[in-house]
Amino acid sequence: MRLGILTSGGDCAGLNAVIRAVTLRAVHGYGFEVYGLHEATHGLLQRPVAATLLSPDSVKGILHQGGTILRTTNRGNPFAYPGPDGSTRDRSQEIVEGYRELGLDALIGVGGDGSLAILRRLARQGGWNLVGIPKTIDNDLGHTEQSVGFSSAVTVATEALDRLHVTAASHNRVMVLEVMGRDAGHIALTAGIAGGADVILIPEIQHAMDKVCAKIEERRRSGRNFSLVVVAESVRSDGVTRTYTDAHGQSRYGGIGQAIAQEIAGCTGAETRVTVLGHVQRGGSPVPLDRVIASAFGVAAVDLVAQKRFDRVVGWRARQVIDVPLDEACAAFKAVDPGDPLVRTARGLGIAFGD
Ligand code: F6P
């Protein structure tokens, strides 16, 4: 059996732990050959296919390393592949043939919702045997309680709040921390509780600025002359999200932290400062929970391949690895439920959502 593995979409901490676990389980457990495909599906476009034979030796020492030794991309959708002149064309058939060219019997794809949906489409087109592993700092895949990378991102955001806390208190400032999460507020909510935020703004709970400012004033009246505000990147202000267009013409979230800070300064007179955490949340060493989940997912995904149970994605529920059909995983976007126990916890602590 020749097994391929690729990492696709935005990177996160824990991808190397997945690659290591897949390799160890495949080689030691089943005697499979494992090929690591370079840069998501881009490796399958090249001839010869760009891939490296992985072995227990070659994955030594990568468990704790951030990033992905296979590299990745969140650009270059095979069905609308961008050309140098800005036009797009369908290159899916070349990628599908790359799988055959390398003689793969199965592929493990590590990705978020977008990548898994693309891989599923390619698998259908090419008759690939595919198993998925969920990774995304956004934690927005509905079939799993945790995706690889989420806990590490939350840890970075929490550490940032710990640091902001002392400088906010020293200067009597309102510190606004803008965190990632794309269309979901999981990072903001979880780190906000863990880091002792006073206000958490997430896209799932509509805020009003007068309520945000009232919370800051209330703290002042009680003698606490500083506040910590966590804002998820896709929060709306005046009904619109803050985005910018990057050099490749792609729209990206960014700027809501600054907008919220200005409004707070305007209505409270407080001195405000903004920190945009950005890709710091994706890099660095994975925290232990991400290493454990990544390892459990890697082992379970290879076991699914060995059992010839394809077209499935592993997930994490109640401290166990489960698996569900790819279709189900791709269809289930998970936003923060306003009735979520963590939202109740935050409210119980007196954290304001501005609603
Ligand atoms: O999906 C992961 C994520 O980090 C989001 O939280 C963020 O909006 C986006 O990717 C950033 O993408 P890029 O790496 O292309 O800037």
Side-chain angles (χ1 to χ4, degrees), residues 76-145:
N77 176 352
F79 299 95
Y81 198 85
D85 61 350
S87 64
T88 57
R89 69 190 171 102
D90 185 348
R91 297 191 69 184
S92 58
Q93 198 50 35
E94 292 166 69
I95 289 174
V96 158
E97 282 157 15
Y99 176 98
R100 304 265 168 245
E101 175 122 348
L102 192 59
L104 294 180
D105 299 299
L107 176 68
I108 293 180
V110 190
D113 56 347
S115 298
L116 290 176
I118 286 173
L119 289 171
R120 178 189 50 167
R121 211 171 143 190
L122 289 167
R124 302 246 156 108
Q125 184 173 324
W128 295 357
N129 294 322
L130 176 67
V131 170
I133 294 181
K135 66 86 219 171
T136 166
I137 65 164
D138 307 334
N139 209 30
D140 56 1
L141 281 156
H143 76 285
T144 183
E145 288 168 5

Side-chain angles (χ1 to χ4, degrees), residues 44-338:
L44 289 168
L45 267 180
Q46 294 177 39
R47 298 295 178 270
V49 166
T52 305
L53 181 63
L54 299 175
S55 68
D57 261 355
S58 69
V59 297
K60 251 188 205 156
I62 66 169
L63 172 64
H64 64 285
Q65 284 175 10
T68 159
I69 58 166
L70 299 177
R71 302 195 308 283
T72 186
T73 178
N74 58 5
R75 300 188 61 239
N77 176 352
F79 299 95
Y81 198 85
D85 61 350
S87 64
T88 57
R89 69 190 171 102
D90 185 348
R91 297 191 69 184
S92 58
Q93 198 50 35
E94 292 166 69
I95 289 174
V96 158
E97 282 157 15
Y99 176 98
R100 304 265 168 245
E101 175 122 348
L102 192 59
L104 294 180
D105 299 299
L107 176 68
I108 293 180
V110 190
D113 56 347
S115 298
L116 290 176
I118 286 173
L119 289 171
R120 178 189 50 167
R121 211 171 143 190
L122 289 167
R124 302 246 156 108
Q125 184 173 324
W128 295 357
N129 294 322
L130 176 67
V131 170
I133 294 181
K135 66 86 219 171
T136 166
I137 65 164
D138 307 334
N139 209 30
D140 56 1
L141 281 156
H143 76 285
T144 183
E145 288 168 5
Q146 290 261 351
S147 293
V148 175
F150 174 64
S151 290
S152 302
V154 167
T155 302
V156 172
T158 304
E159 281 171 9
L161 283 170
D162 290 348
R163 287 166 192 268
L164 290 171
H165 191 153
V166 284
T167 172
S170 303
H171 281 269
N172 299 324
R173 283 175 171 161
V174 175
M175 293 295 191
V176 176
L177 177 68
E178 178 182 317
V179 298
M180 283 184 165
R182 214 180 290 264
D183 299 311
H186 297 287
I187 297 177
L189 174 62
T190 314
I193 293 172
D198 305 297
V199 178
I200 299 174
L201 301 182
I202 55 175
E204 296 87 347
I205 299 179
Q206 205 181 335
H207 71 274
M209 277 318 293
D210 56 338
K211 300 220 167 107
V212 173
C213 294
K215 171 70 185 178
I216 291 164
E217 298 286 12
E218 175 200 311
R219 278 178 55 77
R220 274 184 175 165
R221 279 196 301 277
S222 70
R224 289 189 295 274
N225 220 7
F226 69 95
S227 291
L228 293 178
V229 179
V230 185
V231 186
E233 62 180 352
S234 62
V235 160
R236 288 166 183 267
S237 142
D238 295 331
V240 286
T241 51
R242 299 293 159 127
T243 56
Y244 65 95
T245 304
D246 71 13
H248 301 285
Q250 307 245 329
S251 178
R252 303 249 164 265
Y253 285 127
I256 186 64
Q258 194 62 49
I260 296 288
Q262 268 167 17
E263 290 193 65
I264 291 173
C267 66
T268 64
E271 202 181 0
T272 59
R273 292 290 185 272
V274 183
T275 302
V276 181
L277 214 42
H279 294 79
V280 171
Q281 294 157 99
R282 297 225 308 241
S285 194
V287 297
L289 183 58
D290 269 331
R291 298 182 198 193
V292 169
I293 289 175
S295 302
F297 282 173
V299 168
V302 175
D303 289 345
L304 283 176
V305 169
Q307 294 155 19
K308 302 204 182 327
R309 295 180 61 223
F310 301 118
D311 208 25
R312 301 190 73 79
V313 188
V314 295
W316 187 256
R317 275 187 216 159
R319 215 169 156 273
Q320 283 195 54
V321 181
I322 50 111
D323 56 85
V324 302
L326 255 164
D327 276 346
E328 191 182 314
C330 292
F333 170 74
K334 179 178 69 185
V336 172
D337 179 349

